[in-house]
C-alpha cells in the first residue's frame, strides 16, 4: 500500500473524547444543490490555505491554530499521534517528518529516534515502547523550533493537500470549501487510489452516482453534498481494517463542512465558525 495515513479520529479536547453520531445532512438529493454555489474558479491562495490548516486544528485538537507540540497515545492502532495533523508512528508519516527534520537540522532532538520510527513504520506496529516517554518530552522540545513547526505544515501539505488539489483539478472543484473537503478526506481517510475508504474512492463513487462531476457540468454544491453523503457512509461502515470503532464517531467532521456549504461559505473567510460538535470560531487564520 502506498504511504497514506488511515487516520484515527478520536478528538481529544480538554481531556475528554468527543463522540458523535448523527446522520447525513440530506442535501445531496436536492436538484439544485445548496445555495450560493461558486460560479467562478476560486484559487486557494495563502489565506485560504491558512484557514484550511486551522480547520484541521479544530478537527484534530479542538483548537483554532495548529498544535505542534501535541502528542499522545490514543490506543487506537496508530501508536503515538502527534503534531498539527496527528502524525502517527505506526503509519510512516511521522517517520517522513522526522527524516525531513534530520535533513534540515541533523543534530535535532528527534534524530536519535529515526531508526526506531523506521522499524515501527516498516512493521506497521502501534507499539510505543521502542520510543518511550523520553520521545514525548523530546517531541515537545522540537515543537519549540520554528523550523520543525514549518516542516509539520510542509509535510502535511505535501502528503495530503497536494493530492487533494490534484484531484480537485481533475474533478473540476473550484471553491476553497470544496478543496477543504478533499483535503480533510485525504488527511483522515487516505489520499491514495487504493485506499478503500479514501478521497479518490469517494470522489469516484460520487461521480458514478451523479453521472459526472463539476468538470463535466454537475453543480458543485450538489456534487459536494453527495460527496459528503458518500463519505459519511464510508465512515459509518468502513472497509479499512480497525476503523469500525472510531470513524463512525467522527462523522461530525463531514457534517461541519457540509454545514459551511449550506451557509454558502464557499470562500473560507474569517471569522469562520466550525459547528457540528466543534463550535470553534477561527478569527485570525495562522500557522
Amino acid at each position: 500500500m502506498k504511504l497514506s495515513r488511515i487516520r484515527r479520529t478520536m478528538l481529544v479536547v480538554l481531556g475528554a473524547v468527543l463522540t458523535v453520531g448523527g446522520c447525513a445532512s440530506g442535501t445531496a438529493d436536492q436538484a439544485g444543490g445548496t445555495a450560493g454555489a461558486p460560479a467562478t474558479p476560486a484559487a486557494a491562495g495563502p489565506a485560504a490555505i491558512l484557514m484550511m490548516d486551522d480547520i484541521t486544528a479544530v478537527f484534530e485538537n479542538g483548537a483554532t491554530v495548529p498544535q505542534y507540540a501535541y502528542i499522545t497515545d490514543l490506543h487506537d492502532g496508530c501508536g503515538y499521534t502527534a503534531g498539527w495533523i496527528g502524525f502517527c508512528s505506526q503509519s510512516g508519516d511521522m517517520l517522513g517528518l522526522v527524516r525531513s527534520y534530520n535533513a534540515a537540522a541533523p543534530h535535532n532532538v528527534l534524530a536519535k529516534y529515526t531508526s526506531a520510527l523506521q522499524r515501527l513504520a516498516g512493521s506497521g506496529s502501534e507499539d510505543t515502547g521502542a520510543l518511550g516517554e523520553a520521545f514525548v518530552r523530546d517531541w515537545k522540545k522540537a515543537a519549540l523550533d520554528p523550523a520543525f513547526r514549518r516542516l509539520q505544515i510542509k509535510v502535511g501539505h505535501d502528503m495530503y493537500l497536494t493530492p487533494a488539489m490534484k484531484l480537485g483539478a481533475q474533478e473540476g472543484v473550484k471553491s476553497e470549501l470544496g478543496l477543504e473537503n478533499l483535503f480533510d478526506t485525504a488527511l483522515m481517510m487516505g489520499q491514495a487510489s487504493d485506499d478503500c475508504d479514501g478521497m479518490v474512492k469517494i470522489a469516484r463513487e460520487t461521480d458514478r452516482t451523479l453521472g459526472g462531476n463539476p468538470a463535466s457540468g454537475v453543480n458543485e454544491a450538489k456534487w459536494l453534498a453527495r460527496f459528503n453523503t458518500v463519505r459519511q457512509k464510508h465512515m459509518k461502515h468502513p472497509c479499512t481494517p480497525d476503523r469500525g470503532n472510531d470513524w463512525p464517531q467522527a462523522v461530525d467532521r463531514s457534517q461541519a463542512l457540509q454545514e459551511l456549504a449550506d451557509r454558502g461559505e464557499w470562500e473560507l473567510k474569517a471569522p469562520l465558525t466550525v459547528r457540528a460538535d466543534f463550535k470553534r470560531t477561527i478569527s485570525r487564520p495562522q500557522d
Side-chain angles (χ1 to χ4, degrees), residues 1 9 13 39 52 66 81 125-126 140 151 161 205-206 217 241 243:
M1 184 175 180
T9 55
V13 181
M52 292 178 194
T81 298
S125 173
E126 64 185 276
K140 292 179 178 180
L151 279 170
L161 180 57
E205 287 185 23
T206 303
R243 299 293 87 179

Side-chain angles (χ1 to χ4, degrees), residues 189-211:
M189 303 173 75
Q191 82 283 43
S193 59
D194 60 354
D195 289 324
C196 72
D197 295 300
M199 170 187 69
V200 176
K201 178 73 174 294
I202 292 170
R204 298 294 182 255
E205 287 185 23
T206 303
D207 292 350
R208 287 196 297 272
T209 301
L210 294 177

Side-chain angles (χ1 to χ4, degrees), residues 51-154:
M51 183 66 82
M52 292 178 194
D53 294 345
D54 290 351
I55 292 172
T56 297
V58 170
F59 289 160
E60 291 292 324
N61 297 118
T64 57
V65 294
Q67 301 296 293
Y68 303 105
Y70 172 81
I71 180 167
T72 192
D73 181 359
L74 292 169
H75 303 287
D76 61 353
C78 285
Y80 278 126
T81 298
W84 160 61
I85 62 168
F87 295 96
C88 290
S89 57
Q90 175 270 343
S91 69
D93 57 359
M94 182 180 285
L95 171 63
L97 172 62
V98 171
R99 282 176 168 167
S100 294
Y101 193 27
N102 294 345
H107 303 294
N108 74 79
V109 70
L110 297 178
K112 58 183 173 287
Y113 300 102
T114 306
S115 295
L117 285 168
Q118 185 169 350
R119 290 194 299 273
L120 292 170
S123 62
S125 173
E126 64 185 276
D127 176 41
T128 58
L131 297 169
E133 283 300 313
F135 181 73
V136 173
R137 294 191 296 271
D138 287 337
W139 183 279
K140 292 179 178 180
K141 289 178 184 177
L144 298 174
D145 181 0
F148 185 57
R149 295 198 294 270
R150 287 193 297 270
L151 279 170
Q152 284 198 32
I153 295 294
K154 182 181 185 304

Side-chain angles (χ1 to χ4, degrees), residues 52 160-161 163-191 198-200 202-204 206 220 223-224 227-228 231 257:
M52 292 178 194
Y160 305 112
L161 180 57
M165 293 177 73
K166 180 179 179 181
L167 181 64
Q170 294 170 354
E171 294 288 332
V173 173
K174 298 183 182 302
S175 70
E176 295 169 356
L177 178 57
L179 178 58
E180 164 59 27
N181 275 262
L182 296 176
F183 177 37
D184 186 63
T185 305
L187 189 150
M188 178 187 154
M189 303 173 75
Q191 82 283 43
M199 170 187 69
V200 176
I202 292 170
R204 298 294 182 255
T206 303
E220 182 172 332
W223 187 90
L224 184 63
F227 179 93
N228 277 319
R231 181 184 178 186
L257 294 174

